[in-house]
Amino acid sequence: MKKLGIALSGGGSRGIVHLGILKALDEAGIKIHRVTGTSAGAIAGLFYCSGYTPESIMEIVRETRLIKYVRPAMSKSGLLKLETIIQVFKKYIKHDSFEALQIPLIVAATNVKKGVSVFFHEGPLIRPVLASCAVPVVFDPIELNGDSYIDGGILNNLPVEPLIGQCDVIIGSNCNPISENYEPGNMRSLLERSLLMAINVNAFAKKELCDLFLEPDGMKAYGGFDFSRAREIFEIGYQYGKSMTGKIKQLL
């Protein structure tokens, strides 16, 4: 059997669609050998590669309501702090180490000082995942090894590069299809739309590196903060994933 690698994009609450896709792949007996992720995709990868089933991850999202643990950051660099979520993660991730994962995981984050995309795959696990999620302005940067890191999606929202040469089949899962009928709304809506368009540029640039590019069209109706609609998003991913398992098996 060929080795399968999957790259999971960032996208806020839209990233929950990855869990539905992973559930469909699990049910079809499709084994994933390596996972890469950015932002929400990094969180999905963190739990999945730790051995949690997609349904159990969905339950963790529902039970913890992670957003309530994010407190205001009284600083010039961000409005919210991600650091407070570390203890929540440690409740479920018993070994804070990439090496302890059941499936290899690579996480993309953006080094602000050097202006480059960086891949984390060894050593401490939780802080690099949080760094990958640190949307600029909204969240404080995460400090790692003397450098400041922000959302990996700024430069690499579909990190397929670490899969090249390591996997025989590469799948890219992008949760951010852009709707064509957007009407400018409030400031938050406009900011989200602008960020979505920016990160999609670098995501689509990776499409040709994938053997299969997944992008559920139903996600056009959802925003990055629609956590109250998590179950709907999960179901869209699951149904879409089931429709794609035949193509994946052919590739394998």
Side-chain angles (χ1 to χ4, degrees):
M1 181 69 73
K2 296 179 179 179
K3 289 186 176 181
L4 172 64
I6 186 167
L8 308 176
S9 76
S13 61
R14 288 184 296 262
I16 294 169
V17 81
H18 298 314
L19 300 178
I21 291 173
L22 290 172
K23 178 183 177 181
L25 269 56
D26 282 354
E27 288 185 350
I30 297 173
K31 181 180 179 180
I32 297 173
H33 295 84
R34 189 175 293 260
V35 178
T36 64
T38 293
S39 199
I43 293 179
L46 167 68
F47 285 98
Y48 185 75
C49 293
S50 295
Y52 288 94
T53 66
E55 277 288 356
S56 64
I57 302 170
M58 183 66 220
E59 187 63 18
I60 290 171
V61 171
R62 188 192 67 80
E63 284 186 352
T64 60
R65 289 182 293 164
L66 290 178
I67 194 65
K68 75 178 182 180
Y69 290 95
V70 181
R71 62 184 177 84
M74 304 305 292
S75 69
K76 297 179 181 179
S77 56
L79 303 176
L80 303 169
K81 280 189 180 294
L82 282 169
E83 296 275 4
T84 53
I85 304 180
I86 290 178
Q87 294 307 314
V88 179
F89 276 13
K90 285 185 175 180
K91 176 182 177 182
Y92 298 97
I93 308 299
K94 300 303 181 183
H95 301 286
D96 185 13
S97 167
F98 278 96
E99 289 78 7
L101 295 171
Q102 296 181 18
I103 301 172
L105 172 68
I106 301 94
V107 171
T110 302
N111 186 314
V112 179
K113 292 183 179 180
K114 299 177 181 177
V116 296
S117 180
V118 176
F119 298 122
F120 292 93
H121 62 90
E122 59 185 7
L125 171 63
I126 295 175
R127 288 180 63 82
V129 171
L130 291 180
S132 183
C133 301
V135 179
V137 182
V138 177
F139 295 109
D140 262 352
I142 299 293
E143 299 297 320
L144 291 167
N145 304 319
D147 282 327
S148 298
Y149 290 87
I150 59 173
D151 195 314
I154 299 300
L155 294 179
N156 195 339
N157 203 43
L158 195 68
V160 299
E161 295 90 338
L163 301 175
I164 298 173
Q166 300 297 318
C167 298
D168 303 301
V169 176
I170 297 175
I171 294 176
S173 181
N174 183 41
C175 61
N176 302 300
I178 296 180
S179 61
E180 298 83 14
N181 58 353
Y182 173 77
E183 293 292 337
N186 56 31
M187 186 64 70
R188 192 183 83 170
S189 171
L190 184 58
L191 175 62
E192 182 180 354
R193 175 73 173 185
S194 301
L195 184 60
L196 177 63
M197 292 188 292
I199 65 176
N200 254 17
V201 170
N202 69 63
F204 274 100
K206 309 296 175 62
K207 187 174 181 178
E208 63 182 28
L209 300 177
C210 302
D211 295 293
L212 185 62
F213 186 77
L214 306 181
E215 188 180 61
D217 192 65
M219 293 310 301
K220 290 180 179 180
Y222 296 85
F225 296 98
D226 284 338
F227 289 98
S228 63
R229 305 171 73 184
R231 177 50 69 174
E232 297 174 32
I233 296 173
F234 183 95
E235 188 62 25
I236 287 174
Y238 177 57
Q239 296 300 331
Y240 178 83
K242 288 202 297 183
S243 72
M244 301 302 291
T245 55
K247 290 185 179 180
I248 297 172
K249 286 184 176 181
Q250 285 180 353
L251 289 171
L252 294 173

